[in-house]
Amino acid sequence: MSRRIGFTGDVMLGRVVDDRQRRRPADAVWGTVLERLRGLDGLVMNLECVLSTRGRQWRRTHRPFHFRANPDWAVPALERAGVDVCALANNHVLDYGEMALRDTLAHLDEAGIARTGAGETLDEALEPAVVSVDGLEVAVVSFTDNTREFAADEESPGTAWIAVDVENETTRRRVRDALERAREREPDLLVASLHWGPNMIEEPPESLREFGRWLVEEGVDVVHGHSAHVFHGIEVHEGSPIIYDAGDFVDDYAVDRRLRNDRSFLFVLTVPDDGTPTELRLHPTEIDNCAVHEASPDAADWSRDRMRELSAAFGTEFERAGDSLVLSLGE
């Protein structure tokens, strides 16, 4: 028996998205992709906002953007899409201070949506999210190198912050701690979800490439990267896929007409009983009217061609299946 586990890029439900959603059904934010999401066996997202109506905008350091979504619609939206895990290690979980972060943690817990990467303390932020996907145990750990001032410590809430540097001893110790906690749960599939690197870059820098490969060598089965707002190429290292950046899945951002940050994919991993992924399927998506949709033919062509071009640098080749790209894993 195989399970199909989906991974998305950034899901930002605040600002204009939040405003639009107050006047339409909660699941409208998923547009024409909703049924595909609901048809998955598992779903992992990077949640790029807080779920709260409380708190004040972060002012301790300069922050140009602040993202907050009303949980009255946002939590039902996540539930209706069938979200299993939210990665929270990113540069927006403290946009409205500690109160809004605590609200976010509480709302996810109440909804039964597992979360990782942020918490009341660093210890909590390092705890894995562990879910059972039709009997397959999946553990997710989450880290970020963005916004160091949001880092949790032994006494303060925030993110599981790291320096993305394989030579950094604190980073190696922190990551290995989280991975060991995950392995103690005896998962069949171990995922590392990372909000890493700068915005609007077209390829991962060498530091991310080295780190992604190191994670696989440390036992991670799939690396789920995000942060750049545009998708990057995919590398397969020792049989494990490294999604260097999944791009944006839904938001209200201005669109760069060359980089097309409104276009990406739903990444669907096929995992059999033994926990060894056999296939990664990429379904083209695009953002319109603050909702995610199945990509139009022209947008899908552009995204497929771009993904092939970016992934060729890693020796990665895809097959075509309908509108999707298919990457076979293993032998």
Side-chain angles (χ1 to χ4, degrees), residues 36-170:
R36 191 182 295 278
L37 296 176
R38 291 178 62 84
L40 296 169
D41 301 303
L43 182 57
V44 179
M45 289 182 170
N46 172 53
L47 184 62
E48 189 83 344
C49 63
V50 292
L51 307 176
S52 181
T53 58
R54 305 194 300 167
R56 294 183 178 180
Q57 291 185 356
W58 177 278
R59 297 297 186 199
R60 294 181 219 170
T61 54
H62 176 66
R63 299 284 299 156
F65 307 113
H66 302 85
F67 301 149
R68 178 176 63 176
N70 190 319
D72 287 349
W73 73 263
V75 174
L78 296 173
E79 292 175 316
R80 292 176 194 175
V83 178
D84 294 282
V85 177
C86 284
L88 299 180
N90 59 56
N91 56 316
H92 289 287
V93 297
L94 277 171
D95 275 358
Y96 284 82
E98 297 176 1
M99 180 184 296
L101 171 56
R102 291 188 175 105
D103 285 349
T104 304
L105 302 177
H107 286 305
L108 292 174
D109 290 348
E110 290 167 8
I113 299 172
R115 38 88 176 180
T116 182
E120 287 281 356
T121 62
L122 175 60
D123 186 65
E124 182 180 340
L126 294 176
E127 277 297 305
V130 181
V131 294
S132 181
V133 179
D134 288 344
L136 186 85
E137 297 301 306
V138 179
V140 182
V141 298
S142 178
F143 302 96
T144 185
D145 68 344
N146 287 196
T147 316
R148 187 168 188 170
E149 58 266 37
F150 282 9
D153 60 26
E154 288 73 15
E155 299 178 353
S156 302
T159 61
W161 189 91
I162 58 171
V164 175
D165 177 1
V166 295
E167 301 301 325
N168 186 296
E169 286 301 320
T170 300

